[in-house]
Amino acid sequence: MMNAGPSRSQSGVTMIEVLVTLLVTAFGLLALAGFIGRASAMGVESNQRARAAAILTDMTDRMRNNKGQAATYVSATAHGAAVINCAGKAAGDALDLCEWNNLLIGTNDALSNGNAQALSFRGCINRPDVLLPVYVVTVAWGSSVTGVAPVDACGANLFGADDSFRRVIRSQVRIASLAA
């Protein structure tokens, strides 16, 4: 005759198996939640980097289109701190810098309502060597993820107490001298 119930040596094994399965599933779900949070942060970081690259390209193109006035774009201050009214500015470097300043702030964004401080970009233009026609355009922004603090000084101490949240992207603009 066969015994219908579990033997004494197997009693409780099914309950332990269920508890182990629940524990493994719980750890898997926690890991998945952490992955989703990190992926979301990296998506935001990627979006900010793409926007910074577009803003950087905008200014480098403006400087290349106004080669004769390239030296007038250089400034000791970071652009993008406050909205500037560009009405009445003549075409050229003054208008380019004004419009770039407002791009850095985000006044052209459809959802910003003229106040896009969450974007928080800053821009710097310098000339490392006055004897060479080479200019460095830098765009800095604040990230929500820590990293290595950049060496470039553009936007330093503007994105929190710790510069490990600051990111920069930079490009050189070389202006050809065609004089013989």
Side-chain angles (χ1 to χ4, degrees):
M1 183 184 251
M2 295 191 90
N3 190 358
S7 69
R8 188 173 181 98
S9 64
Q10 288 185 341
S11 64
V13 171
T14 304
M15 181 62 90
I16 292 173
E17 289 173 349
V18 168
L19 288 174
V20 168
T21 302
L22 286 174
L23 185 65
V24 169
T25 303
F27 279 119
L29 290 174
L30 284 173
L32 181 62
F35 172 76
I36 290 172
R38 183 76 173 159
S40 176
M42 290 297 105
V44 169
E45 180 81 15
S46 175
N47 186 23
Q48 288 177 326
R49 186 172 301 277
R51 182 172 177 102
I55 293 171
L56 179 77
T57 301
D58 179 76
M59 180 46 76
T60 58
D61 289 346
R62 288 173 189 257
M63 290 179 72
R64 285 187 185 106
N65 288 332
N66 194 7
K67 294 177 180 127
Q69 300 298 315
T72 60
Y73 287 88
V74 175
S75 174
T77 61
H79 299 277
V83 176
I84 299 173
N85 183 359
C86 298
K89 297 213 185 264
D93 61 325
L95 182 61
D96 287 345
L97 287 169
C98 182
E99 290 176 348
W100 191 56
N101 178 79
N102 293 341
L103 279 175
L104 290 163
I105 293 174
T107 56
N108 292 353
D109 293 338
L111 300 177
S112 71
N113 296 327
N115 185 16
Q117 293 300 316
L119 297 177
S120 196
F121 290 97
R122 297 291 188 271
C124 303
I125 303 170
N126 61 35
R127 187 175 185 180
D129 187 348
V130 295
L131 299 176
L132 299 175
V134 177
Y135 304 89
V136 177
V137 180
T138 307
V139 175
W141 70 96
S143 175
S144 60
V145 181
T146 61
V148 177
V151 177
D152 195 298
C154 184
N157 302 318
L158 294 176
F159 302 105
D162 186 1
D163 264 353
S164 66
F165 289 97
R166 181 172 55 99
R167 303 286 185 269
V168 297
I169 185 171
R170 58 191 284 176
S171 179
Q172 288 187 348
V173 178
R174 296 178 187 271
I175 306 297
S177 176
L178 300 178

